[in-house]
Amino acid sequence: MDLAYTPEEEDFRARLRQWLGEVLPKLPPAPDPSDWPGRRAYDLGWQRMLHDAGYADVHWDASPTTRLIYLEETERAGAPYVGANFVGLLHAGPTIAAEGTPEQRARWLPPILRGEEVWCQGFSEPGAGSDLAALRTRARREGDDYVVSGSKIWTSHAEVADWCELLVRTDPSAPRHRGITWLAMSMDAPGVTVRPLRTLAGSTEFAEVFLDEVRVPVGHRVGAENDGWRVTMVTLSFERGTAFVGEVVACRRVLRELASEARKNGRWDDPVLRRRLGRLNAEFRALRRLTQWNVSEASVSGVPGVGGSVFKLRYSHARQELYDAAADVLGPDALDLDRAWVLDRLSSLSYTIAAGTSQIQRNIVAERILGLPKGR
Amino acid sequence: MRFQLTEDQRALKAGMRELLERRFGAAELRAATVDEPRLDRALWRELGEAGFFALCVPEADGGVGLGLPEAVLAFEEAGRALLPGPLIATHLAAGTVPGAAGGETIVTAVDAGLVEWLAQADVILGDTAGAVPLRSMDPLTPLHRVVDKGEANPLAVLLTAAEQLGTATRACELAVQHARTREQFGQPIGAFQAVKHLCADMLVRAETARVAVYAAAVTSAPADIAAARLLADEAAVRGARDCLQVHGGMGFTWECEVHLHLKRAWVRAQRGGGNTESEELLAADLVA
Ligand SMILES: Cc1cc2nc3c(=O)[nH]c(=O)nc-3n(C[C@H](O)[C@H](O)[C@H](O)COP(=O)(O)OP(=O)(O)OC[C@H]3O[C@@H](n4cnc5c(N)ncnc54)[C@H](O)[C@@H]3O)c2cc1C
């Protein structure tokens, strides 16, 4: 049991830190959050820089510890987030790498790594969120194409995506989990309509996607027909893992900023608030240790352990507590959308919903880790 | 980075669990909860022989020469088994108080205005002037109130957190065992989501406490120890409470061991370096 890094890992950290120190000052200013073309260009540009410097595939090929170091260092240095590249780099790419044919890997992986193409995730539907296997978007085979009709919802970054990892039902008569297929769909295909949805934070982070007789070549199917549920489980296993490491580093920084703001505005003298911030310090320290624990476990076993759901539950709640505490530090300013932390407080509300709600995570922990029986 | 137990650490933990199951299992636990609890000196010596007290004493001084992570694992098991006695005081006295390392001498200490097992101990550290017995809520921890507040020793705080972690883990296990077997409305109660989610939250709190306690054992940093303390207290106290809830009416009986876990968790939560101090320390750390 140790927390020490190997000389190679330390070396990687030092090189990365030096590179970040050189390139970040030259980066153009981040675009306005509502400027979608600007955001796409910015996020892809950053990925291109990572690619040229040899860091593009750190989410795929590197050891879990190297990935941890990468996420810690980029956050510490204030580097851009993965942003619109999230689905490509963290879901679709790894899924195609694991399940795709050589041609599919050659077609889709390099553009993701080089920062040329953006992916989105078309899993959820109006009638199938937590109950993903209830999805109804249909695909029927016509010659060398699937013809897809239906609709998807909550599709993040749909407005600027080139490709969509899409779940469709190919055999309506099969048991729910058996008739699903995983397709890579071009967002430019005729019949695809994207209607942005406004989030409670005011932005258009996600969208509804309507599919009307959209033709997807059979060659764009990843995995076998009707074997999409298994492929989906592969995708979802990449969704947790270390995805939140950088954010924990960021939360710890915000916590320090909150403490210093409270000292400035006098709220620090309130022992209740002070102790609450102290407790959050304990919380985020532990969350960092939890990632180190999970990463160490993955390094040994090769698979992300059960820690993913434990982490997701605890972290999504802690993040909301953090920004609630921020509101207490800010006082009336907590109502001013132009103040730091106020928008973050609003977006933190999605953390207990997206990527599996907290209720669903508790079911997973209880049934898969603790072995409690499934409810009827 | 290998933030996982090594083979040796796993073996040590398993060995400790095995010894305690053999020597202080459910039957012994029940037998020990009498009106006038006594410490089992033979067991105490056996623990000494197994190296429990001398774990961190250097080999040159006749100890086992291991580190804080190993001590934390051993105390986690002691906590899980609800092993009674001034274990931490004796452990910390090994190497200075003769006989403590081998388990021949039972050492207790003043801690936050209280002394555990005063009448049974051979050596008492701290000022016990004006010691008054109180009717201890925990049937396995006799207590005296003293004037001396003593100073919180960070190692004692960490080992207390380790014991709390043991309780948190055990409470979750007991709740899950019960939830899988007890049937109501024609199905195991663990199939009901309200019960299932209580159990899931117990596990999440215990695992969060675990990494905090283990990391503090590796770094010994004051802020890490304070964090471990806070999270382990929460995991133990809430875990034991929720475990009691899952047991229904049976959980409210003296027969069911659940109350013993909750009462011990409450005793430990009163020890030095409690929640307020830990929160203040961690707040100060934010502006340091
Ligand atoms: C910001 C954001 C981004 C997203 N991005 C994407 C994306 O890019 N692609 C994509 O496919 N999806 C995306 N989602 C969708 C997300 O995965 C779903 O919102 C989520 O899985 C919940 O599904 P739902 O919205 O249909 O809610 P529902 O499933 O209707 O749930 C409503 C409530 O019922 C509870 N509930 C449901 N079932 C159970 C149960 N069995 N036990 C207990 N409680 C239950 C839920 O916990 C919740 O509280 C995104 C969501 C958000 C908020």
Side-chain angles (χ1 to χ4, degrees):
Chain A
M1 186 153 66
D2 71 39
L3 290 161
Y5 293 91
T6 65
E8 297 77 50
E9 288 161 353
E10 288 296 359
D11 187 49
F12 174 79
R13 188 192 290 281
R15 274 186 291 122
L16 176 60
R17 191 176 286 187
Q18 192 194 345
W19 180 74
L20 289 169
E22 283 161 18
V23 301
L24 290 183
K26 294 184 223 146
L27 215 62
D32 186 272
S34 59
D35 170 13
W36 274 100
R39 281 174 70 173
R40 176 188 153 104
Y42 186 82
D43 294 347
L44 287 176
W46 171 240
Q47 180 59 26
R48 214 162 301 137
M49 286 169 70
L50 287 169
H51 175 266
D52 294 345
Y55 295 114
D57 61 350
V58 73
H59 298 290
W60 298 1
D61 288 346
S63 76
T65 315
T66 310
R67 191 155 61 239
L68 176 72
I69 295 171
Y70 169 83
L71 291 164
E72 280 180 357
E73 287 299 319
T74 46
E75 174 51 42
R76 196 163 287 141
Y81 284 110
V82 50
N85 289 313
F86 184 80
V87 172
L89 276 172
L90 297 165
H91 294 195
T95 304
I96 293 165
E99 299 289 334
T101 62
E103 297 76 48
Q104 290 174 337
R105 290 204 287 269
R107 166 63 191 88
W108 285 310
L109 301 189
I112 293 175
L113 294 179
R114 285 198 301 260
E116 289 163 5
E117 290 181 347
V118 169
W119 283 69
C120 64
Q121 180 191 30
F123 283 13
S124 304
E125 295 185 10
S130 300
D131 188 10
L132 185 55
L135 65 92
R136 286 162 60 175
T137 291
R138 291 259 219 123
R140 63 166 196 280
R141 188 83 175 251
E142 251 180 40
D144 288 339
D145 289 336
Y146 286 105
V147 181
V148 183
S149 290
S151 70
K152 294 287 169 177
I153 197 165
W154 321 128
T155 317
S156 302
H157 304 132
E159 273 187 273
V160 294
D162 304 287
W163 293 95
C164 178
E165 49 172 20
L166 187 75
L167 292 186
V168 295
R169 187 162 297 285
T170 32
D171 183 357
S173 61
R176 308 181 337 135
H177 295 89
R178 303 264 173 76
I180 295 171
T181 299
W182 199 107
L183 299 177
M185 177 186 77
S186 166
M187 292 296 282
D188 293 333
V192 178
T193 310
V194 174
R195 199 182 78 188
L197 291 163
R198 194 155 187 233
T199 71
L200 59 73
S203 60
T204 52
E205 218 55 49
F206 50 33
E208 267 179 297
V209 178
F210 299 97
L211 305 168
D212 181 17
E213 300 273 299
V214 180
R215 299 191 87 86
V216 178
V218 171
H220 288 191
R221 184 189 72 215
V222 175
E225 186 171 293
N226 298 327
D227 193 29
W229 188 253
R230 192 189 55 78
V231 183
T232 301
M233 291 303 114
V234 172
T235 308
L236 293 184
S237 76
F238 291 112
E239 191 163 355
R240 298 184 197 114
T242 51
F244 298 105
V245 172
E247 295 191 11
V248 171
V249 179
C251 285
R252 296 190 69 192
R253 190 187 57 229
V254 168
L255 190 55
R256 286 188 178 274
E257 289 167 3
L258 281 181
S260 89
E261 174 72 23
R263 287 237 288 201
K264 263 187 249 149
N265 73 14
R267 295 284 285 129
W268 191 250
D269 297 334
D270 173 357
V272 176
L273 178 82
R274 205 171 55 230
R275 288 177 51 192
R276 186 162 159 208
L277 296 181
R279 195 166 262 278
L280 281 165
N281 187 2
E283 187 70 32
F284 282 101
R285 276 168 182 273
L287 284 165
R288 170 154 173 259
R289 300 312 188 186
L290 205 48
T291 357
Q292 290 173 323
W293 183 262
N294 290 342
V295 163
S296 294
E297 192 178 23
S299 309
V300 176
S301 66
V303 290
V306 288
S309 290
V310 170
F311 180 88
K312 164 91 167 44
L313 265 171
R314 190 88 187 193
Y315 172 63
S316 54
H317 180 69
R319 190 178 170 100
Q320 290 171 2
E321 296 272 301
L322 172 70
Y323 287 107
D324 281 351
D328 258 22
V329 171
L330 286 171
D333 281 353
L335 302 176
D336 178 354
L337 285 171
D338 284 331
R339 283 297 310 245
W341 305 319
V342 177
L343 266 179
D344 294 306
R345 187 182 189 204
L346 293 178
S347 12
S348 75
L349 297 171
S350 76
Y351 278 68
T352 45
I353 299 171
T357 67
S358 290
Q359 285 69 38
I360 296 299
Q361 302 296 339
R362 284 192 184 92
N363 288 349
I364 293 175
V365 168
E367 289 165 14
R368 300 207 202 137
I369 305 180
L370 296 176
L372 286 171
K374 275 198 190 297
R376 286 179 221 148
Chain B
M1 187 182 60
R2 289 176 309 275
F3 188 38
Q4 292 280 315
L5 305 200
T6 62
E7 277 310 310
D8 287 348
Q9 286 168 339
R10 261 178 236 282
L12 179 123
K13 199 163 185 279
M16 185 70 195
R17 180 171 300 188
E18 190 271 327
L19 186 152
L20 289 173
E21 268 164 9
R22 183 164 43 81
R23 287 290 276 106
F24 197 76
E28 289 81 9
L29 176 63
R30 183 132 315 158
T33 53
V34 291
D35 287 339
E36 285 281 327
R38 304 196 59 79
L39 288 175
D40 178 348
R41 283 187 175 260
L43 169 57
W44 204 269
R45 270 192 301 277
E46 223 175 296
L47 285 169
E49 276 157 32
F52 180 78
F53 298 114
L55 262 185
C56 298
V57 175
E59 276 180 285
D61 301 332
V64 186
L66 292 172
L68 215 39
E70 286 76 19
V72 153
L73 296 175
F75 274 85
E76 179 189 341
E77 289 304 319
R80 185 178 179 281
L82 271 177
L83 188 63
L87 298 162
I88 294 176
T90 306
H91 179 92
L92 294 176
T96 50
V97 174
E104 298 94 29
T105 310
I106 295 173
V107 183
T108 190
V110 170
D111 182 39
L114 291 167
V115 189
E116 300 180 9
W117 292 97
L118 182 123
Q120 296 260 314
D122 305 310
V123 174
I124 302 147
L125 305 175
D127 183 2
T128 56
V132 183
L134 54 89
R135 213 153 65 82
S136 176
M137 175 211 266
D138 176 7
L140 277 171
T141 312
L143 290 166
H144 280 73
R145 213 193 296 272
V146 292
V147 187
D148 185 13
K149 289 280 172 234
E151 195 139 290
N153 171 351
L155 293 183
V157 174
L158 177 59
L159 295 178
T160 291
E163 290 184 324
Q164 295 288 57
L165 168 62
T167 288
T169 310
R170 181 70 182 145
C172 183
E173 268 172 34
L174 287 172
V176 168
Q177 257 170 34
H178 189 69
R180 279 155 83 162
T181 45
R182 168 70 174 167
E183 291 195 8
Q184 289 288 282
F185 300 95
Q187 61 177 341
I189 56 169
F192 296 115
Q193 218 171 38
V195 173
K196 193 177 275 187
H197 286 192
L198 274 183
C199 295
D201 284 340
M202 288 165 81
L203 180 88
V204 170
R205 284 193 300 264
E207 292 309 302
T208 310
R210 176 181 314 286
V211 293
V213 170
Y214 290 179
V218 173
T219 69
S220 309
D224 280 338
I225 293 179
R229 173 62 187 268
L230 283 178
L231 295 168
D233 266 359
E234 181 198 38
V237 171
R238 288 211 44 201
R241 264 179 191 264
D242 288 351
C243 179
L244 198 145
Q245 179 68 21
V246 168
H247 278 76
M250 200 182 158
F252 196 66
T253 64
W254 188 268
E255 270 305 291
C256 183
E257 78 178 60
V258 179
H259 70 106
L260 298 175
H261 288 280
L262 180 56
K263 289 167 178 173
R264 187 71 60 82
W266 274 335
V267 165
R268 297 190 198 113
Q270 287 296 327
R271 290 189 192 151
N275 284 354
T276 310
E277 291 97 314
S278 298
E279 283 167 353
E280 289 286 3
L281 189 152
L282 284 159
D285 171 73
L286 288 174
V287 292

